[in-house]
Amino acid sequence: MANRDALRELQSRLAARLQAAQAEGPSIAWLAVHAGAGRYLMPLAQAGEIFPWSPVQPVPYTRPWFWGVANLRGHLSGVVDLAAFLAEVWPAAPALRPRSELAQADCSLLALNAALDVNVALVVDRLAGLRSPEAFVSSAPPAEDAPGFFGALHTDAHGETWQEIQLLSLSQSAQFLSISA
């Protein structure tokens, strides 16, 4: 009987929190990550689950930024080094940092939302948390020569610039889908 009461209490608390969140509207818009020397914002609605480093099986005859496939919760996902991909498609991308095997093991895999219909996880060096629009003091459009999947540039109170990446556009770009060498 105590278990049922505890379950009802939990359900009512969750329902109240869900209603409050819906009434407030979305206050958090992005997942902030570091990849190479760059700082990036990924829309939460387009991001999927975050996984700790998982062994990757290399796939021959692919571009250097496509590391291979990994088993993530029983699903095979392609693994793309975000920093290396951006360095290849955009010459003005922040510099790559070489990774040792030890540093690679500290990386995380950010899966794209299943609704995007692409089984891919992005290698990110470090997660920097969630960000809301209020966390930034200014925004500017992306550089003219930036890839089409880049969104606005946001500057935070510390003067750091964060590049928004539209994961939906990224997942549909020909450059991202062309993994063969």
Side-chain angles (χ1 to χ4, degrees), residues 95-159:
L96 287 173
R97 292 183 182 160
R99 288 189 193 102
S100 66
E101 278 190 44
L102 186 59
Q104 182 176 311
D106 289 335
C107 292
S108 295
L109 300 175
L110 170 63
L112 274 58
N113 191 310
L116 300 181
D117 287 331
V118 179
N119 288 344
V120 169
L122 303 174
V123 177
V124 296
D125 294 306
R126 188 167 58 94
L127 301 170
L130 301 174
R131 299 290 192 273
S132 67
E134 295 81 29
F136 300 99
V137 294
S138 67
S139 295
E144 288 184 24
D145 63 339
F149 50 83
F150 273 14
L153 278 169
H154 302 278
T155 305
D156 64 17
H158 303 290

Side-chain angles (χ1 to χ4, degrees), residues 73-85:
R73 288 200 194 267
H75 298 282
L76 286 180
S77 293
V79 176
V80 171
D81 182 344
L82 179 61
F85 170 75

